[in-house]
Amino acid sequence: MRDRGAKDFPALGFGCGAVLGRVGRRDSLRAMEAAWDAGITLFDTARSYGYGEAEGLLGEFLAGRREQATVMTKFGIWPERQGTLKSLAKPVVRGLLRLAPGARSLVRRGAAGQMTANQFTVPVLRASLEESLRRLRTDYVDVLFLHAAPASALEQDDLMAELERVVAEGKVRRAGLSAEPEVIGLALDRGLPVLQTMQFPVNVFGLGITQRTQAADEDAPLFVANHPFGGVLRVEESRRMIAELSTSENLPPDLREKLSGGSNLLLADVIFSLILRGTGIDTVVPAMMKVENLRTNAEAIAKSRFTEAEVALLRERFLAAAS
């Protein structure tokens, strides 16, 4: 089993999926600034985020501090050009989401209709990368992911060769794959050497991929977990599970005491501990657009209340609950 600490990558990153999408310019910049102040210097974006505008705002924010930051972006989902009416409608949609958070899935479906997915060709790779570099105001990105790639993308030898070339040119430090766990598993089986970073969704009720990452050796790719809270429903399930465990006679009294209270800090501590500790996963990248949530997440990473034995016991219980 490899030592996660041997990898020079931050444990907590800032996910930009909501930047200039459901969150406007002012609040996005405020969240980025709070992240930086909290010591979070890894930013995960994509060519498609914010209807194609998130990279530009991140580049603006990182002006003068690019060398202190780790920037990950993605290609393969191409944003459609936004017309004037659609741009003017964004503040209205954001206001709707504040009043009715349940409308988020409807808004996501509408946004998906303004993207062209599965764009994994050499010309698109080149065009997307050059546009990302321009908008990010940089001459390189630390990681370039294939975005939501299907298994068939792994068979494209010309695409893998082009990824090797952009790395050799210095425009990309590491190439990687952002995909569902099943596709990540296939990529690990194939052992494609150019894919040095793997990003995939993980939450406490979907820890199956950690069986692969835990067994990885020192030569394995970096592993990046996203969507760690799993959405509103998973958050509520997680809270209920923690509350049940806090009264379980089958757990040691000290652990039950640590699980009591139901705070946001406790929730973040449990989620990040189960995902990061003893799994081989290097980094977790949640969306953190509210400053108070961001600070809570940073504190949970830095000051976990749980021992390694307690984390292992909690992971066993969550795995059993998910089976």
Side-chain angles (χ1 to χ4, degrees):
M1 187 184 302
R2 67 180 181 166
D3 175 13
R4 191 175 70 83
K7 298 291 186 179
D8 185 21
F9 231 61
L12 180 63
F14 182 95
C16 296
V19 169
L20 295 182
R22 64 178 174 84
V23 179
R25 173 185 172 85
R26 183 184 62 183
D27 289 342
S28 294
L29 285 172
R30 181 167 56 187
M32 290 178 188
E33 194 68 55
W36 194 267
D37 290 343
I40 299 168
T41 57
L42 184 151
F43 294 85
D44 177 47
T45 187
R47 182 77 286 281
S48 61
Y49 287 174
Y51 306 96
E53 298 175 2
E55 287 176 322
L57 191 63
L58 178 59
E60 176 184 331
F61 171 75
L62 291 177
R65 38 191 166 188
R66 171 66 184 96
E67 292 305 312
Q68 289 76 51
T70 299
V71 177
M72 306 191 299
T73 194
K74 310 176 186 73
F75 81 97
I77 301 179
W78 196 260
E80 300 297 328
R81 186 177 299 277
Q82 294 291 296
T84 302
L85 288 177
K86 289 181 179 179
S87 296
L88 291 173
K90 288 180 187 178
V92 176
V93 172
R94 291 169 191 142
L96 171 64
L97 288 176
R98 283 194 293 271
L99 294 172
R104 189 167 296 172
S105 60
L106 180 63
V107 172
R108 275 199 297 266
R109 287 196 294 272
Q114 300 176 48
M115 307 289 170
T116 306
N118 199 18
Q119 299 296 296
F120 298 109
T121 66
V122 169
V124 168
L125 188 165
R126 280 288 177 177
S128 185
L129 175 58
E130 294 301 329
E131 183 70 3
S132 291
L133 294 175
R134 184 182 71 80
R135 288 178 177 266
L136 289 164
R137 306 184 188 186
T138 185
D139 57 3
Y140 74 97
V141 293
D142 296 278
V143 182
L144 178 67
F145 289 112
L146 285 78
H147 193 182
S152 58
L154 305 176
E155 308 292 335
Q156 296 180 227
D157 294 339
D158 61 335
L159 190 65
M160 297 300 129
E162 193 67 14
L163 285 172
E164 291 178 351
R165 279 190 281 272
V166 295
V167 171
E169 292 167 5
K171 294 182 177 181
V172 174
R173 297 286 171 85
R174 304 172 69 97
L177 174 67
S178 179
E180 292 299 313
E182 296 78 9
V183 179
I184 296 295
L186 292 173
L188 292 173
D189 290 338
R190 285 179 60 85
L192 296 167
V194 69
L195 299 179
Q196 288 295 302
T197 311
M198 302 287 182
Q199 184 184 78
F200 41 85
V202 183
N203 63 69
V204 292
F205 292 101
L207 293 167
I209 187 66
T210 62
Q211 296 175 342
R212 293 295 304 267
T213 59
Q214 188 176 29
D217 58 28
E218 284 293 332
D219 295 326
L222 283 164
F223 294 123
V224 179
N226 59 18
H227 304 296
F229 290 91
V232 174
L233 294 179
R234 285 302 192 193
V235 165
E236 293 308 311
E237 289 180 36
S238 300
R239 289 190 187 278
R240 284 195 294 271
M241 182 72 173
I242 293 169
E244 290 173 7
L245 291 173
S246 71
T247 61
S248 172
E249 295 296 329
N250 295 321
L251 292 182
D254 287 350
L255 179 53
R256 295 203 305 268
E257 176 65 24
K258 292 178 183 180
L259 291 170
S260 64
S263 70
N264 289 337
L265 179 59
L266 171 62
L267 176 69
D269 193 351
V270 169
I271 288 174
F272 295 148
S273 292
L274 295 187
I275 291 174
L276 286 173
R277 295 170 63 183
T279 63
I281 294 176
D282 301 276
T283 301
V284 63
V285 182
M288 303 183 289
M289 305 311 295
K290 293 184 178 180
V291 172
E292 59 270 26
N293 292 345
L294 189 153
R295 291 171 178 162
T296 295
N297 291 345
E299 182 178 351
I301 292 280
K303 301 176 181 178
S304 176
R305 69 190 72 188
F306 300 109
T307 67
E308 297 302 324
E310 289 169 342
V311 170
L313 184 55
L314 288 175
R315 185 177 295 114
E316 179 183 303
R317 296 304 177 92
F318 274 88
L319 283 168
S323 62

